[in-house]
Amino acid sequence: MARVELRNVRKVYPGGVEAVKNADLVVNDKEFVVLVGPSGCGKSTTLRMIAGLEEITDGEIIIGDTLVNDVPPKNRDIAMVFQNYALYPHMTVYKNMAFGLILRKYPKQEIDQRVREAAEILGITELLDRRPKALSGGQRQRVAVGRAIVRHPKVFLFDEPLSNLDAKLRVQMRAEISKLHISLQSTMIYVTHDQIEAMTMGDRIVVMLDGVIQQVAAPLDLYHNPVNKFVASFIGSPPMNLVEGTLVASNGSVRFKDESGIIDLEIPAEKRAALDGHIGKRVTFGVRPEDMLENVTQTAVEGRSIDAPVEVVEPMGSEINLYLDVGGVSMTARIKADAEPKVNTNHVLDVNMDNVHIFDADTELTII
Ligand code: ADP
């Protein structure tokens, strides 16, 4: 069983940078877990500690049933795929894939069987005699994955494996790695800074910031129930709109009002209980672009609509990204392409108030 557990793991680099702070995480057997966050948040360090490439300062790492703190990388039964592929340029694809097994003195026949089987899975059988320089980026990437597959490891670790590919190939390889996960039924831990990659590939996602795990959850759970403003803004594309303002009670209702006076929205009754203690206080209001809905008659609804000038219209095909200037704050809406917003003209959008978020302005934690 290839479960991976981090218990209170910490990493302080020489020089004092605390790259990972008290990380607790369980990756279940056969699970695909993605570590995501902005550059420098500690993703790679976490992965490299699991691989044994980086010593841990405090805490415990367990792979399967074994505490691996003092187990060297080669004995951890893991295989890692790197961003730069790290292929040997003078070796053929076959040799690149076989090399790790040759070093481990596997019988020749077994090596051959494993290499051919991995090549088959990845659709690179016809490339086995080529050298890396005669391969495209996507093919090199497959060879790097193949080299991991032949090891039959307990756990696959991926460190931004798609970053060097162009956008189209990245989308294709993303799906291939997901399929690979299904067919190999292995535990995989995958690092990326790209939230779309995380959302589309992960069974669960670990969102990190400044060395701290912010939230661990399934993709849609993260999207719908972010624990704080950072997770809310990091997950989702285009990102969630965030507006500073105040919660105001009036005539039995609670409203969110921004500083410009343009936004005055009524919070649904069933959400009000959660706002106790926050009335009259400064908060951040969050609404996703897809929850800013086209108002067909262009007639503002009291307590629900935002009526503001259009800054930019971005046609996306079936949809439009619409940027509104809401008192100096830019807000994005994603609406159907049949709407006809005009730049520098006011446009009315209805906010889907069932899906809005409110964050504490000081702690940035989610209130609703
Ligand atoms: P990420 O993978 O999320 O971009 P890293 O894990 O690479 O982040 O880095 C986390 C933090 O640790 C960063 O501040 C980075 O500068 C620092 N760091 C990474 N590697 C080293 C190192 N070998 N020595 C000192 N600091 C490092």
Side-chain angles (χ1 to χ4, degrees):
M1 198 190 75
R3 178 175 176 276
V4 177
E5 183 172 356
L6 276 64
R7 288 189 194 148
N8 216 7
V9 169
R10 205 167 142 250
K11 175 69 184 183
V12 182
Y13 279 110
V17 176
E18 194 178 9
V20 176
K21 299 172 191 166
N22 309 95
D24 281 309
L25 177 68
V26 173
V27 177
N28 295 310
D29 186 33
K30 301 187 175 64
E31 198 177 22
F32 195 127
V33 165
V34 180
L35 307 183
V36 70
S39 178
C41 72
K43 312 177 288 290
S44 289
T45 301
T46 304
L47 198 73
R48 292 170 63 80
M49 287 192 289
I50 297 169
L53 300 174
E54 208 64 74
E55 248 180 70
I56 69 175
T57 309
D58 282 308
E60 296 180 332
I61 296 182
I62 294 131
I63 300 178
D65 300 321
T66 313
L67 178 68
V68 296
N69 286 27
D70 300 319
V71 177
K74 67 178 171 50
N75 296 339
R76 288 193 184 194
D77 213 352
I78 48 105
M80 189 148 166
V81 179
F82 296 92
Q83 176 175 353
N84 59 9
Y85 318 141
L87 301 179
Y88 301 109
H90 58 288
M91 291 182 195
T92 61
V93 167
Y94 185 102
K95 191 81 183 287
N96 261 288
M97 286 166 68
F99 195 62
L101 302 179
I102 295 171
L103 286 184
R104 287 176 176 75
K105 304 204 171 9
Y106 276 71
K108 220 174 157 194
Q109 196 191 340
E110 172 150 16
I111 294 176
D112 191 63
Q113 189 199 330
R114 287 192 184 198
V115 169
R116 290 188 188 281
E117 185 185 87
E120 190 67 29
I121 291 171
L122 295 164
I124 53 172
T125 303
E126 71 282 14
L127 305 177
L128 286 174
D129 295 330
R130 290 203 200 163
R131 283 177 213 280
K133 69 172 185 315
L135 301 176
S136 70
Q139 290 167 336
R140 277 179 212 167
Q141 215 284 330
R142 286 189 190 91
V143 177
V145 174
R147 203 168 43 178
I149 292 177
V150 297
R151 303 264 310 277
H152 295 177
K154 272 200 193 133
V155 182
F156 285 86
L157 304 177
F158 294 92
D159 193 358
E160 304 246 8
L162 307 184
S163 302
N164 290 341
L165 303 179
D166 64 49
K168 197 171 162 199
L169 199 52
R170 226 164 36 223
V171 173
Q172 188 189 333
M173 289 304 297
R174 196 161 90 191
E176 284 191 23
I177 293 177
S178 293
K179 277 192 241 164
L180 194 68
H181 173 243
I182 294 166
S183 62
L184 294 179
Q185 293 274 305
S186 320
T187 309
M188 296 188 170
I189 307 178
Y190 187 105
V191 161
T192 179
H193 63 274
D194 179 347
Q195 64 89 21
I196 296 181
E197 236 167 80
M199 288 294 279
T200 51
M201 298 176 81
D203 294 326
R204 283 191 306 151
I205 299 174
V206 179
V207 183
M208 295 184 70
L209 177 68
D210 296 338
V212 178
I213 293 178
Q214 305 286 311
Q215 188 168 7
V216 184
L220 287 183
D221 197 20
L222 273 188
Y223 175 87
H224 290 297
N225 305 305
V227 293
N228 61 29
K229 188 169 123 181
F230 171 73
V231 175
S233 64
F234 193 76
I235 298 292
S237 172
M240 184 185 285
N241 295 295
L242 296 167
V243 184
E244 306 298 317
T246 312
L247 287 173
V248 179
S250 70
N251 301 330
S253 73
V254 176
R255 308 176 79 96
F256 169 79
K257 300 191 182 200
D258 75 337
E259 278 148 16
S260 71
I262 294 176
I263 299 184
D264 182 355
L265 297 167
E266 186 175 342
I267 308 295
E270 64 275 12
K271 293 187 188 284
R272 274 179 225 155
L275 298 176
D276 274 358
H278 297 278
I279 308 298
K281 301 230 170 99
R282 298 195 47 76
V283 293
T284 305
F285 173 83
V287 56
R288 295 199 181 276
E290 48 276 32
D291 287 318
M292 305 262 285
L293 311 174
E294 173 69 353
N295 178 307
V296 182
T297 59
Q298 288 294 294
T299 316
V301 183
E302 207 283 321
R304 267 207 71 168
S305 299
I306 295 177
D307 183 355
V310 174
E311 279 181 317
V312 178
V313 179
E314 275 180 2
M316 304 290 292
S318 64
E319 289 173 320
I320 297 171
N321 286 344
L322 188 65
Y323 297 83
L324 297 178
D325 173 8
V326 182
V329 176
S330 182
M331 291 186 77
T332 315
R334 172 163 268 197
I335 57 176
K336 289 267 176 284
D338 51 13
E340 292 178 340
K342 290 186 181 56
V343 173
N344 293 331
T345 306
N346 267 42
H347 200 79
V348 182
L349 294 164
D350 294 339
V351 176
N352 179 0
M353 294 303 292
D354 292 333
N355 288 354
V356 301
H357 300 266
I358 306 277
F359 307 97
D360 188 299
D362 298 323
T363 65
E364 301 194 350
L365 294 175
T366 301
I367 303 169
I368 57 172

Tab-separated table of all heavy atoms in Angstrom, residues 232-282:
chain	number	residue	atom	x	y	z
A	232	ALA	N	-9.699	31.459	-2.345
A	232	ALA	CA	-10.800	31.915	-3.204
A	232	ALA	C	-10.271	32.599	-4.458
A	232	ALA	O	-10.769	32.389	-5.557
A	232	ALA	CB	-11.699	32.870	-2.421
A	233	SER	N	-9.229	33.404	-4.293
A	233	SER	CA	-8.721	34.170	-5.435
A	233	SER	C	-7.806	33.327	-6.313
A	233	SER	O	-7.694	33.569	-7.505
A	233	SER	CB	-7.973	35.417	-4.949
A	233	SER	OG	-6.828	35.023	-4.213
A	234	PHE	N	-7.169	32.320	-5.725
A	234	PHE	CA	-6.203	31.517	-6.492
A	234	PHE	C	-6.887	30.469	-7.365
A	234	PHE	O	-6.423	30.150	-8.459
A	234	PHE	CB	-5.217	30.835	-5.532
A	234	PHE	CG	-4.030	30.255	-6.243
A	234	PHE	CD1	-3.015	31.078	-6.707
A	234	PHE	CD2	-3.938	28.894	-6.470
A	234	PHE	CE1	-1.932	30.554	-7.393
A	234	PHE	CE2	-2.859	28.355	-7.152
A	234	PHE	CZ	-1.853	29.196	-7.607
A	235	ILE	N	-8.000	29.925	-6.877
A	235	ILE	CA	-8.710	28.881	-7.604
A	235	ILE	C	-9.838	29.516	-8.408
A	235	ILE	O	-10.663	30.242	-7.865
A	235	ILE	CB	-9.294	27.837	-6.611
A	235	ILE	CG1	-8.169	27.151	-5.822
A	235	ILE	CG2	-10.177	26.822	-7.323
A	235	ILE	CD1	-7.268	26.261	-6.615
A	236	GLY	N	-9.885	29.208	-9.703
A	236	GLY	CA	-10.932	29.773	-10.558
A	236	GLY	C	-10.331	30.705	-11.602
A	236	GLY	O	-9.371	31.414	-11.314
A	237	SER	N	-10.901	30.673	-12.806
A	237	SER	CA	-10.374	31.477	-13.889
A	237	SER	C	-11.514	31.930	-14.807
A	237	SER	O	-12.266	31.093	-15.273
A	237	SER	CB	-9.364	30.655	-14.685
A	237	SER	OG	-8.969	31.335	-15.838
A	238	PRO	N	-11.637	33.262	-15.076
A	238	PRO	CA	-10.896	34.350	-14.443
A	238	PRO	C	-11.104	34.328	-12.924
A	238	PRO	O	-12.081	33.756	-12.461
A	238	PRO	CB	-11.525	35.607	-15.055
A	238	PRO	CG	-12.335	35.162	-16.213
A	238	PRO	CD	-12.670	33.747	-15.980
A	239	PRO	N	-10.193	34.958	-12.182
A	239	PRO	CA	-10.280	34.871	-10.722
A	239	PRO	C	-11.518	35.556	-10.146
A	239	PRO	O	-12.128	36.398	-10.788
A	239	PRO	CB	-9.013	35.569	-10.236
A	239	PRO	CG	-8.329	36.123	-11.413
A	239	PRO	CD	-9.038	35.704	-12.655
A	240	MET	N	-11.834	35.156	-8.923
A	240	MET	CA	-12.965	35.745	-8.204
A	240	MET	C	-12.777	37.264	-8.069
A	240	MET	O	-11.675	37.729	-7.830
A	240	MET	CB	-13.057	35.109	-6.810
A	240	MET	CG	-14.248	35.579	-5.998
A	240	MET	SD	-14.234	34.903	-4.309
A	240	MET	CE	-14.716	33.216	-4.577
A	241	ASN	N	-13.849	38.013	-8.235
A	241	ASN	CA	-13.826	39.452	-7.973
A	241	ASN	C	-13.830	39.679	-6.465
A	241	ASN	O	-14.629	39.056	-5.750
A	241	ASN	CB	-15.077	40.115	-8.554
A	241	ASN	CG	-15.122	40.021	-10.056
A	241	ASN	OD1	-14.287	40.594	-10.753
A	241	ASN	ND2	-16.099	39.278	-10.578
A	242	LEU	N	-12.964	40.553	-5.999
A	242	LEU	CA	-12.908	40.871	-4.576
A	242	LEU	C	-13.060	42.374	-4.400
A	242	LEU	O	-12.341	43.152	-5.038
A	242	LEU	CB	-11.572	40.404	-3.990
A	242	LEU	CG	-11.356	38.881	-4.018
A	242	LEU	CD1	-9.899	38.546	-3.718
A	242	LEU	CD2	-12.279	38.179	-3.029
A	243	VAL	N	-14.007	42.776	-3.573
A	243	VAL	CA	-14.295	44.205	-3.382
A	243	VAL	C	-14.348	44.487	-1.886
A	243	VAL	O	-14.992	43.756	-1.130
A	243	VAL	CB	-15.658	44.569	-4.010
A	243	VAL	CG1	-15.905	46.068	-3.908
A	243	VAL	CG2	-15.742	44.114	-5.461
A	244	GLU	N	-13.670	45.554	-1.483
A	244	GLU	CA	-13.677	45.945	-0.067
A	244	GLU	C	-14.940	46.752	0.235
A	244	GLU	O	-15.415	47.506	-0.622
A	244	GLU	CB	-12.462	46.831	0.255
A	244	GLU	CG	-11.119	46.246	-0.119
A	244	GLU	CD	-10.821	44.968	0.633
A	244	GLU	OE1	-11.088	44.926	1.847
A	244	GLU	OE2	-10.357	44.012	-0.009
A	245	GLY	N	-15.451	46.600	1.439
A	245	GLY	CA	-16.637	47.374	1.798
A	245	GLY	C	-17.093	47.049	3.207
A	245	GLY	O	-16.307	46.581	4.033
A	246	THR	N	-18.366	47.278	3.481
A	246	THR	CA	-18.899	47.157	4.833
A	246	THR	C	-20.230	46.403	4.808
A	246	THR	O	-20.992	46.524	3.844
A	246	THR	CB	-19.159	48.573	5.420
A	246	THR	OG1	-18.003	49.382	5.183
A	246	THR	CG2	-19.422	48.522	6.913
A	247	LEU	N	-20.495	45.642	5.858
A	247	LEU	CA	-21.806	45.016	6.015
A	247	LEU	C	-22.693	45.967	6.815
A	247	LEU	O	-22.298	46.445	7.887
A	247	LEU	CB	-21.677	43.695	6.765
A	247	LEU	CG	-21.051	42.538	5.978
A	247	LEU	CD1	-20.834	41.337	6.896
A	247	LEU	CD2	-21.903	42.156	4.777
A	248	VAL	N	-23.864	46.240	6.278
A	248	VAL	CA	-24.762	47.213	6.901
A	248	VAL	C	-26.114	46.544	7.138
A	248	VAL	O	-26.639	45.875	6.241
A	248	VAL	CB	-24.961	48.431	5.965
A	248	VAL	CG1	-25.907	49.443	6.591
A	248	VAL	CG2	-23.620	49.062	5.627
A	249	ALA	N	-26.674	46.735	8.367
A	249	ALA	CA	-28.015	46.209	8.634
A	249	ALA	C	-29.020	47.326	8.411
A	249	ALA	O	-28.824	48.445	8.874
A	249	ALA	CB	-28.103	45.708	10.072
A	250	SER	N	-30.079	47.031	7.661
A	250	SER	CA	-31.141	48.044	7.517
A	250	SER	C	-32.469	47.347	7.260
A	250	SER	O	-32.549	46.455	6.404
A	250	SER	CB	-30.810	49.014	6.375
A	250	SER	OG	-30.909	48.380	5.136
A	251	ASN	N	-33.498	47.744	8.031
A	251	ASN	CA	-34.858	47.208	7.882
A	251	ASN	C	-34.901	45.683	7.855
A	251	ASN	O	-35.545	45.089	7.002
A	251	ASN	CB	-35.519	47.738	6.609
A	251	ASN	CG	-35.597	49.250	6.606
A	251	ASN	OD1	-35.687	49.855	7.685
A	251	ASN	ND2	-35.557	49.846	5.445
A	252	GLY	N	-34.160	45.074	8.751
A	252	GLY	CA	-34.218	43.612	8.843
A	252	GLY	C	-33.384	42.894	7.802
A	252	GLY	O	-33.290	41.675	7.822
A	253	SER	N	-32.764	43.629	6.893
A	253	SER	CA	-31.906	42.943	5.918
A	253	SER	C	-30.448	43.308	6.177
A	253	SER	O	-30.156	44.280	6.882
A	253	SER	CB	-32.301	43.337	4.497
A	253	SER	OG	-31.872	44.659	4.230
A	254	VAL	N	-29.541	42.498	5.639
A	254	VAL	CA	-28.115	42.823	5.720
A	254	VAL	C	-27.629	43.060	4.306
A	254	VAL	O	-27.933	42.285	3.391
A	254	VAL	CB	-27.311	41.674	6.379
A	254	VAL	CG1	-25.817	41.990	6.358
A	254	VAL	CG2	-27.777	41.434	7.796
A	255	ARG	N	-26.890	44.155	4.145
A	255	ARG	CA	-26.432	44.504	2.798
A	255	ARG	C	-24.930	44.673	2.789
A	255	ARG	O	-24.333	45.064	3.793
A	255	ARG	CB	-27.116	45.800	2.343
A	255	ARG	CG	-28.626	45.742	2.496
A	255	ARG	CD	-29.269	47.050	2.145
A	255	ARG	NE	-29.368	47.222	0.698
A	255	ARG	CZ	-30.450	46.930	-0.012
A	255	ARG	NH1	-31.526	46.436	0.568
A	255	ARG	NH2	-30.468	47.124	-1.307
A	256	PHE	N	-24.339	44.393	1.641
A	256	PHE	CA	-22.925	44.704	1.442
A	256	PHE	C	-22.848	45.977	0.610
A	256	PHE	O	-23.447	46.045	-0.466
A	256	PHE	CB	-22.178	43.581	0.725
A	256	PHE	CG	-20.800	44.010	0.300
A	256	PHE	CD1	-19.764	44.060	1.215
A	256	PHE	CD2	-20.552	44.442	-1.005
A	256	PHE	CE1	-18.501	44.525	0.847
A	256	PHE	CE2	-19.291	44.902	-1.382
A	256	PHE	CZ	-18.263	44.940	-0.451
A	257	LYS	N	-22.124	46.969	1.125
A	257	LYS	CA	-21.950	48.217	0.369
A	257	LYS	C	-20.465	48.488	0.161
A	257	LYS	O	-19.680	48.384	1.110
A	257	LYS	CB	-22.580	49.390	1.133
A	257	LYS	CG	-24.075	49.211	1.371
A	257	LYS	CD	-24.703	50.488	1.886
A	257	LYS	CE	-26.185	50.236	2.157
A	257	LYS	NZ	-26.979	51.462	2.201
A	258	ASP	N	-20.105	48.835	-1.057
A	258	ASP	CA	-18.700	49.165	-1.321
A	258	ASP	C	-18.467	50.649	-1.090
A	258	ASP	O	-19.400	51.407	-0.774
A	258	ASP	CB	-18.292	48.751	-2.737
A	258	ASP	CG	-18.847	49.699	-3.791
A	258	ASP	OD1	-19.857	50.382	-3.505
A	258	ASP	OD2	-18.280	49.739	-4.897
A	259	GLU	N	-17.209	51.086	-1.237
A	259	GLU	CA	-16.883	52.486	-0.937
A	259	GLU	C	-17.445	53.445	-1.979
A	259	GLU	O	-17.773	54.581	-1.677
A	259	GLU	CB	-15.359	52.643	-0.825
A	259	GLU	CG	-14.858	52.225	0.546
A	259	GLU	CD	-13.456	51.630	0.515
A	259	GLU	OE1	-12.747	51.815	-0.502
A	259	GLU	OE2	-13.089	50.969	1.497
A	260	SER	N	-17.553	52.984	-3.219
A	260	SER	CA	-17.995	53.884	-4.296
A	260	SER	C	-19.495	54.158	-4.244
A	260	SER	O	-19.974	55.117	-4.837
A	260	SER	CB	-17.654	53.278	-5.658
A	260	SER	OG	-18.506	52.170	-5.909
A	261	GLY	N	-20.228	53.285	-3.534
A	261	GLY	CA	-21.682	53.431	-3.511
A	261	GLY	C	-22.367	52.761	-4.694
A	261	GLY	O	-23.590	52.737	-4.784
A	262	ILE	N	-21.580	52.219	-5.611
A	262	ILE	CA	-22.182	51.551	-6.771
A	262	ILE	C	-22.739	50.184	-6.359
A	262	ILE	O	-23.790	49.761	-6.828
A	262	ILE	CB	-21.129	51.391	-7.899
A	262	ILE	CG1	-20.729	52.756	-8.442
A	262	ILE	CG2	-21.670	50.496	-9.027
A	262	ILE	CD1	-19.617	52.727	-9.490
A	263	ILE	N	-22.023	49.505	-5.449
A	263	ILE	CA	-22.476	48.176	-5.037
A	263	ILE	C	-23.286	48.279	-3.748
A	263	ILE	O	-22.816	48.816	-2.739
A	263	ILE	CB	-21.285	47.221	-4.823
A	263	ILE	CG1	-20.518	47.059	-6.148
A	263	ILE	CG2	-21.766	45.866	-4.318
A	263	ILE	CD1	-19.384	46.080	-6.077
A	264	ASP	N	-24.507	47.794	-3.813
A	264	ASP	CA	-25.400	47.753	-2.651
A	264	ASP	C	-26.244	46.497	-2.820
A	264	ASP	O	-27.259	46.508	-3.507
A	264	ASP	CB	-26.258	49.030	-2.624
A	264	ASP	CG	-27.185	49.066	-1.414
A	264	ASP	OD1	-27.227	48.063	-0.667
A	264	ASP	OD2	-27.869	50.084	-1.221
A	265	LEU	N	-25.792	45.396	-2.215
A	265	LEU	CA	-26.390	44.091	-2.488
A	265	LEU	C	-26.954	43.485	-1.211
A	265	LEU	O	-26.330	43.584	-0.139
A	265	LEU	CB	-25.333	43.145	-3.082
A	265	LEU	CG	-24.758	43.577	-4.445
A	265	LEU	CD1	-23.521	42.759	-4.774
A	265	LEU	CD2	-25.806	43.446	-5.543
A	266	GLU	N	-28.103	42.841	-1.323
A	266	GLU	CA	-28.736	42.243	-0.152
A	266	GLU	C	-28.299	40.784	0.003
A	266	GLU	O	-28.401	39.992	-0.925
A	266	GLU	CB	-30.266	42.305	-0.300
A	266	GLU	CG	-30.952	41.821	0.959
A	266	GLU	CD	-32.466	41.973	0.911
A	266	GLU	OE1	-32.966	42.743	0.064
A	266	GLU	OE2	-33.127	41.296	1.721
A	267	ILE	N	-27.804	40.479	1.215
A	267	ILE	CA	-27.366	39.103	1.497
A	267	ILE	C	-28.613	38.244	1.733
A	267	ILE	O	-29.506	38.647	2.496
A	267	ILE	CB	-26.467	39.072	2.766
A	267	ILE	CG1	-25.321	40.085	2.661
A	267	ILE	CG2	-25.954	37.659	3.031
A	267	ILE	CD1	-24.302	39.831	1.593
A	268	PRO	N	-28.715	37.072	1.106
A	268	PRO	CA	-29.903	36.225	1.288
A	268	PRO	C	-30.136	35.894	2.763
A	268	PRO	O	-29.178	35.704	3.522
A	268	PRO	CB	-29.558	34.954	0.506
A	268	PRO	CG	-28.512	35.357	-0.466
A	268	PRO	CD	-27.737	36.463	0.177
A	269	ALA	N	-31.414	35.828	3.136
A	269	ALA	CA	-31.793	35.654	4.544
A	269	ALA	C	-31.110	34.443	5.178
A	269	ALA	O	-30.635	34.509	6.317
A	269	ALA	CB	-33.322	35.514	4.638
A	270	GLU	N	-31.037	33.334	4.440
A	270	GLU	CA	-30.505	32.107	5.056
A	270	GLU	C	-29.007	32.189	5.343
A	270	GLU	O	-28.462	31.362	6.054
A	270	GLU	CB	-30.837	30.877	4.181
A	270	GLU	CG	-30.213	30.847	2.813
A	270	GLU	CD	-31.006	31.620	1.759
A	270	GLU	OE1	-31.943	32.378	2.133
A	270	GLU	OE2	-30.673	31.486	0.576
A	271	LYS	N	-28.333	33.195	4.807
A	271	LYS	CA	-26.898	33.332	5.072
A	271	LYS	C	-26.606	34.310	6.213
A	271	LYS	O	-25.469	34.449	6.642
A	271	LYS	CB	-26.171	33.823	3.813
A	271	LYS	CG	-26.168	32.813	2.667
A	271	LYS	CD	-25.285	33.290	1.535
A	271	LYS	CE	-25.390	32.425	0.307
A	271	LYS	NZ	-24.674	31.150	0.432
A	272	ARG	N	-27.654	34.997	6.676
A	272	ARG	CA	-27.406	36.094	7.619
A	272	ARG	C	-26.867	35.652	8.965
A	272	ARG	O	-26.050	36.347	9.572
A	272	ARG	CB	-28.698	36.884	7.840
A	272	ARG	CG	-28.872	37.956	6.796
A	272	ARG	CD	-30.143	38.698	7.004
A	272	ARG	NE	-30.815	38.853	5.732
A	272	ARG	CZ	-32.115	39.018	5.591
A	272	ARG	NH1	-32.904	39.014	6.656
A	272	ARG	NH2	-32.643	39.169	4.407
A	273	ALA	N	-27.306	34.493	9.434
A	273	ALA	CA	-26.879	34.041	10.767
A	273	ALA	C	-25.357	34.007	10.860
A	273	ALA	O	-24.768	34.370	11.888
A	273	ALA	CB	-27.463	32.666	11.057
A	274	ALA	N	-24.710	33.606	9.760
A	274	ALA	CA	-23.244	33.496	9.775
A	274	ALA	C	-22.562	34.854	9.905
A	274	ALA	O	-21.379	34.934	10.235
A	274	ALA	CB	-22.776	32.812	8.483
A	275	LEU	N	-23.332	35.925	9.673
A	275	LEU	CA	-22.731	37.264	9.677
A	275	LEU	C	-22.761	37.927	11.048
A	275	LEU	O	-22.239	39.031	11.213
A	275	LEU	CB	-23.455	38.157	8.661
A	275	LEU	CG	-23.369	37.676	7.213
A	275	LEU	CD1	-24.192	38.566	6.307
A	275	LEU	CD2	-21.923	37.658	6.747
A	276	ASP	N	-23.381	37.252	12.034
A	276	ASP	CA	-23.430	37.797	13.394
A	276	ASP	C	-22.030	38.206	13.835
A	276	ASP	O	-21.082	37.450	13.670
A	276	ASP	CB	-23.947	36.730	14.383
A	276	ASP	CG	-25.460	36.740	14.430
A	276	ASP	OD1	-26.054	37.585	13.724
A	276	ASP	OD2	-26.025	35.894	15.139
A	277	GLY	N	-21.929	39.384	14.389
A	277	GLY	CA	-20.624	39.839	14.868
A	277	GLY	C	-19.825	40.573	13.792
A	277	GLY	O	-18.761	41.122	14.071
A	278	HIS	N	-20.316	40.553	12.571
A	278	HIS	CA	-19.589	41.232	11.489
A	278	HIS	C	-20.343	42.445	10.943
A	278	HIS	O	-19.829	43.147	10.080
A	278	HIS	CB	-19.304	40.255	10.345
A	278	HIS	CG	-18.415	39.121	10.758
A	278	HIS	ND1	-17.042	39.229	10.816
A	278	HIS	CD2	-18.708	37.866	11.167
A	278	HIS	CE1	-16.535	38.091	11.234
A	278	HIS	NE2	-17.526	37.239	11.452
A	279	ILE	N	-21.571	42.656	11.458
A	279	ILE	CA	-22.366	43.790	10.966
A	279	ILE	C	-21.677	45.096	11.370
A	279	ILE	O	-21.232	45.252	12.508
A	279	ILE	CB	-23.801	43.762	11.555
A	279	ILE	CG1	-24.449	42.396	11.329
A	279	ILE	CG2	-24.648	44.893	10.972
A	279	ILE	CD1	-24.621	42.000	9.893
A	280	GLY	N	-21.598	46.016	10.418
A	280	GLY	CA	-20.945	47.294	10.688
A	280	GLY	C	-19.438	47.239	10.487
A	280	GLY	O	-18.753	48.250	10.564
A	281	LYS	N	-18.922	46.024	10.236
A	281	LYS	CA	-17.459	45.888	10.107
A	281	LYS	C	-17.040	45.848	8.641
A	281	LYS	O	-17.835	45.556	7.745
A	281	LYS	CB	-17.009	44.576	10.773
A	281	LYS	CG	-17.373	44.493	12.241
A	281	LYS	CD	-16.166	44.088	13.071
A	281	LYS	CE	-16.464	44.240	14.556
A	281	LYS	NZ	-16.832	42.968	15.166
A	282	ARG	N	-15.752	46.084	8.451
A	282	ARG	CA	-15.196	46.018	7.102
A	282	ARG	C	-15.001	44.564	6.688
A	282	ARG	O	-14.533	43.747	7.488
A	282	ARG	CB	-13.846	46.742	7.039
A	282	ARG	CG	-13.969	48.228	7.371
A	282	ARG	CD	-12.724	48.980	6.947
A	282	ARG	NE	-12.332	48.602	5.591
A	282	ARG	CZ	-12.945	49.023	4.487
A	282	ARG	NH1	-13.973	49.834	4.574
A	282	ARG	NH2	-12.531	48.636	3.310
